[in-house]
Amino acid sequence: MIYNNIQILTGNANPALARGICDYLHKPLADSVCDKFPDTETDLKVNSDVRGSDVFIIQPTCPPVNEHLMELLLFCDTMRRASAGRITTVIPYFGYARKDRKDEGRVPISAKLVANLITKAGADRVLTLDLHAQQIQGFFDIPVDHLYGSKVQFSYYRQLNLPNLVVVSPDVGGVKMARAYSSALHALLAVVDKRRLSPDSAEVGFLIGDVAGKNVLIVDDLIATAGTLTEAAKLLKDKGALDIYVAATHPILCGPAIERLRSAPIKLITVTDTVPLSQQAKEMDNIKVLSVVPLLGEAIRRIHKDESVSSLFIDTGEYQAV
Ligand code: R5P
């Protein structure tokens, strides 16, 4: 179905990204106020008319995760009750994704619960990017369009044209993504064997592959405490790697991340603007932000026009590998 009007809304998670998308689409950001009651409950008022409109709510559920998730749910509820024609939640970073299965007794499957909450609140569709695990798409019983941050990373690293390159996955779970990078950049592939000791520390074991005398590109979906990344970088240096580059989609950078990254043997870290970068991170001279605004903006335009979205990421290689 084609809707006449499009309305773009955002909460407080990443207003700069939302403004960029509005610029790309040549549309204004709908007027809304998302604030707090004195007791810390979230308050919301949308001032633009949305009746019958194709509504896109741009809200990554990045830290503070619960605040931003609640804002998203309230936006969905508000839009449903205001008779929006269709509600698409644009969640460039989907928090709670790492809890996607019961890996021990008496633990929640948080990713499934969050998918249920978003759907129940009124979302008709989801547009997201680099989910921690692609099968989370199936946690929703509504259409999910899943984009890949690798699209912007590929362009950047193709331009850099690093000689003698090995793409490294810092853990076994990331091999599929690393394989797509290695094939797109015509590089070799290696894998670090990682074991998570606690939520903020990881231990690396051995390396599958060879990095001696080679430039290295470590790829990952997100950097949280940077334990995974910095331990992998140290191991790769010990194994004789030359310059170490990192391509990661979501720069969550919480807890000891900045401190760890400052002392890690990493030449350049490229991230995207799915989530805002902290001031401390902006001050680091080896972090470069690649924008996913054109990717998300184009996907929104195509969803609105009922055109194909998959053709946007067919050249990332990851799509074919799924
Ligand atoms: C793990 O499976 C993910 O792909 C990331 O490697 C991990 O979640 C990053 O977390 P941290 O930066 O806290 O090690």
Side-chain angles (χ1 to χ4, degrees):
M1 173 157 176
I2 304 277
Y3 296 82
N4 290 330
N5 299 321
I6 184 167
Q7 290 281 8
I8 319 276
L9 291 152
T10 189
N12 293 310
N14 196 348
L17 179 76
R19 283 193 296 271
I21 290 173
C22 284
D23 289 348
Y24 179 91
L25 294 168
H26 305 293
K27 297 282 176 197
L29 194 57
D31 182 19
S32 67
V33 182
C34 190
D35 218 333
K36 287 263 182 258
F37 286 111
D39 64 357
T40 75
E41 287 176 0
T42 305
D43 187 19
L44 175 64
K45 174 82 172 86
V46 175
N47 296 313
S48 305
D49 179 21
V50 297
R51 186 174 292 271
S53 296
D54 199 9
V55 170
F56 292 84
I57 305 164
I58 298 167
Q59 179 86 335
T61 49
C62 51
V65 178
N66 294 347
E67 295 290 334
H68 292 149
L69 175 60
M70 192 64 200
E71 288 182 7
L72 177 63
L73 298 175
L74 291 177
F75 265 104
C76 288
D77 185 71
T78 308
M79 291 301 92
R80 187 165 54 88
R81 293 175 193 279
S83 306
R86 178 173 65 178
I87 303 166
T88 301
T89 49
V90 182
I91 314 172
Y93 167 70
F94 182 82
Y96 280 111
R98 286 183 286 176
K99 206 74 189 156
D100 64 348
R101 63 195 176 282
K102 263 186 83 170
D103 49 5
E104 56 181 318
R106 299 176 300 283
V107 295
I109 304 181
S110 313
K112 173 61 180 160
L113 173 66
V114 170
N116 285 348
L117 289 171
I118 292 168
T119 311
K120 192 70 189 164
D124 296 304
R125 306 182 62 92
V126 176
L127 172 61
T128 189
L129 193 143
D130 280 358
L131 285 168
H132 177 63
Q134 297 209 13
Q135 55 270 27
I136 292 170
Q137 292 173 53
F139 289 8
F140 291 91
D141 283 329
I142 52 177
V144 176
D145 287 302
H146 184 229
L147 305 175
Y148 297 97
S150 52
K151 190 162 175 96
V152 293
Q153 302 271 14
F154 286 176
S155 309
Y156 183 77
Y157 283 98
R158 276 182 183 133
Q159 268 177 10
L160 274 194
N161 198 17
L162 298 168
N164 216 2
L165 187 67
V166 184
V167 172
V168 175
S169 173
D171 56 32
V172 175
V175 172
K176 194 184 274 182
M177 179 189 255
R179 197 191 306 129
Y181 272 81
S182 76
S183 119
L185 301 174
H186 307 291
L188 296 170
L189 180 63
V191 182
V192 170
D193 169 53
K194 172 189 98 172
R195 204 159 53 93
R196 187 162 284 290
L197 302 175
S198 69
D200 71 350
S201 66
E203 181 185 69
V204 294
F206 52 87
L207 173 73
I208 306 165
D210 180 22
V211 297
K214 299 190 168 74
N215 290 310
V216 163
L217 175 63
I218 305 176
V219 300
D220 211 343
D221 59 327
L222 73 116
I223 309 172
T225 65
T228 303
L229 182 57
T230 52
E231 288 304 308
K234 280 183 225 158
L235 175 75
L236 295 167
K237 267 290 173 198
D238 288 348
K239 298 285 181 188
L242 298 177
D243 289 337
I244 298 182
Y245 297 77
V246 174
T249 308
H250 312 295
I252 300 299
L253 305 181
C254 54
I258 297 290
E259 199 184 316
R260 283 173 171 171
L261 291 176
R262 279 199 183 118
S263 56
I266 297 172
K267 181 159 185 177
L268 176 70
I269 304 169
T270 52
V271 295
T272 77
D273 51 359
T274 53
V275 301
L277 214 52
S278 66
Q279 191 51 42
Q280 273 186 315
K282 281 183 191 157
E283 285 162 11
M284 288 182 63
D285 55 13
N286 66 340
I287 295 190
K288 181 173 178 59
V289 180
L290 307 174
S291 184
V292 290
V293 161
L295 188 58
L296 287 167
E298 184 56 21
I300 289 172
R301 192 194 68 73
R302 291 183 186 206
I303 291 168
H304 179 59
K305 297 279 180 200
D306 217 5
E307 293 173 7
S308 166
V309 172
S310 62
S311 54
L312 264 183
F313 48 92
I314 208 89
D315 68 335
T316 62
E318 278 180 272
Y319 184 58
Q320 291 95 321
V322 173

